[in-house]
Amino acid sequence: MSTINFSYDPEWLDTLSAPFMTNAFIAGLCIALAAGVMGYFTIARRSTFAAHALAHIGLPGATGAVLLGLPVSLGMGVFALGGALVIGALGKRVSEREIATGTVLAFATGLGLFFARLSSSASQQMQSILFGSILTITTGQIIGFAVFDVLLLALLAIIYRPLLFSSLDEQVAQAKGVPIGLMNVAFMAIMAGVITIAVPAVGTLLIFALVITPAATANILAGSPFKAMVIASVLCLVSIWAGLVLSAMFPAPPSFIIVMLSTLFWAIAKAVETMRK
């Protein structure tokens, strides 16, 4: 019978000062900002399934990029954006979005597995795509993350009010002249970008823990949309940075610890909320 040994690395401070760790911390900051802001809108628009599905829709793009010798993030971003536009265009209502999301998700997952079978290198990349590899993020990727964050904040500054209005009360927003269809497509397109930059941290299977869980925790703690976005970003950042530190101290996959911390914060918030009620 095998046993599990939990070891402690006394040289963990040296590990934290390594260049790859610096890249991971900076990438975590970029990811937390984008995931925290858009996580609130995802819950408000009842699109958590769509957000989770976009990560899997990007799977064939990632494996296909490996086949063509292109960057994995590029292939994932293209497929995630394509799937987001299809879902946003076909799913104007919540019920329609669920059907469109499930259909696109099933096709994309099958296509991703097909691409993976065509190349041994694509099969080898599957684990990092599914579970993340934040410690391998490069300087070039960080620059891309930072550019995306700037574009995200600039776009939200323009569409914040109609996007928030349509997220909180779609029927009233439509009656007031808000272009619901355009907001749906814009939201899904932005989410595709957020998923693309967040997947390297925790992978497609665990993306829920960065985009949805911190925002759900923030909704318990905050009374306004802006405060919820700020708290969600902070919780996401704490989960990532603390996960990196703990993974250096007690050697373990960073994605597991990040997800564990994010879930723990949510559980504590729910427990406190329950006791107050």
Side-chain angles (χ1 to χ4, degrees):
M1 182 176 179
S2 61
T3 58
I4 300 176
N5 295 320
F6 294 95
S7 58
Y8 171 76
D9 186 359
E11 299 180 356
W12 63 275
L13 286 175
D14 294 333
T15 303
L16 290 181
S17 62
F20 69 87
M21 270 295 187
T22 302
N23 285 348
F25 279 110
I26 299 175
L29 176 61
C30 297
I31 293 169
L33 178 60
V37 171
M38 290 307 297
Y40 173 83
F41 286 107
T42 303
I43 293 177
R45 299 178 73 87
R46 291 175 291 175
S47 297
T48 54
F49 175 53
H52 182 70
L54 282 180
H56 296 274
I57 292 172
L59 177 63
T63 53
V66 175
L67 284 173
L68 298 175
L70 299 174
V72 171
S73 57
L74 175 62
M76 177 170 287
V78 170
F79 266 71
L81 178 59
L85 295 178
V86 171
I87 294 171
L90 297 180
K92 294 181 174 60
R93 301 177 184 274
V94 174
S95 58
E96 294 174 346
R97 265 200 307 273
E98 296 292 307
I99 296 173
T101 301
T103 303
V104 176
L105 171 61
F107 173 75
T109 303
L111 188 61
L113 295 176
F114 173 70
F115 286 161
R117 290 293 297 272
L118 293 179
S119 169
S120 59
S121 59
S123 298
Q124 294 170 1
Q125 288 275 1
M126 284 291 288
Q127 182 171 354
S128 63
I129 294 171
L130 293 176
F131 298 102
S133 54
I134 193 171
L135 299 181
T136 63
I137 289 178
T138 64
T139 302
Q141 287 179 290
I142 292 175
I143 294 174
F145 295 170
V147 170
F148 175 81
D149 279 358
V150 172
L151 294 176
L152 169 64
L153 295 178
L155 181 59
L156 284 180
I158 298 173
I159 67 171
Y160 178 80
R161 290 176 65 99
L163 181 62
L164 180 63
F165 195 7
S166 63
S167 299
L168 298 178
D169 198 329
E170 185 175 295
Q171 293 182 346
V172 175
Q174 188 173 20
K176 293 292 185 179
V178 175
I180 300 299
L182 180 59
M183 290 298 102
N184 285 336
V185 173
F187 165 76
M188 292 302 298
I190 295 172
M191 275 305 304
V194 174
I195 294 298
T196 301
I197 72 168
V199 161
V202 293
T204 59
L205 294 180
L206 306 176
I207 194 67
F208 207 89
L210 286 188
V211 178
I212 305 301
T213 307
T217 307
N219 280 344
I220 298 174
L221 302 176
S224 69
F226 180 75
K227 289 182 179 179
M229 293 177 200
V230 172
I231 294 175
S233 296
V234 171
L235 289 174
C236 189
L237 181 62
V238 171
S239 298
I240 295 174
W241 281 8
L244 289 172
V245 173
L246 290 175
S247 68
M249 296 175 65
F250 307 96
S255 57
F256 161 71
I257 301 180
I258 291 170
V259 171
M260 181 187 67
L261 292 174
S262 178
T263 305
L264 178 62
F265 294 149
W266 173 81
I268 293 174
K270 286 293 292 182
V272 172
E273 181 187 38
T274 301
M275 287 188 292
R276 287 179 177 176
K277 289 182 179 180

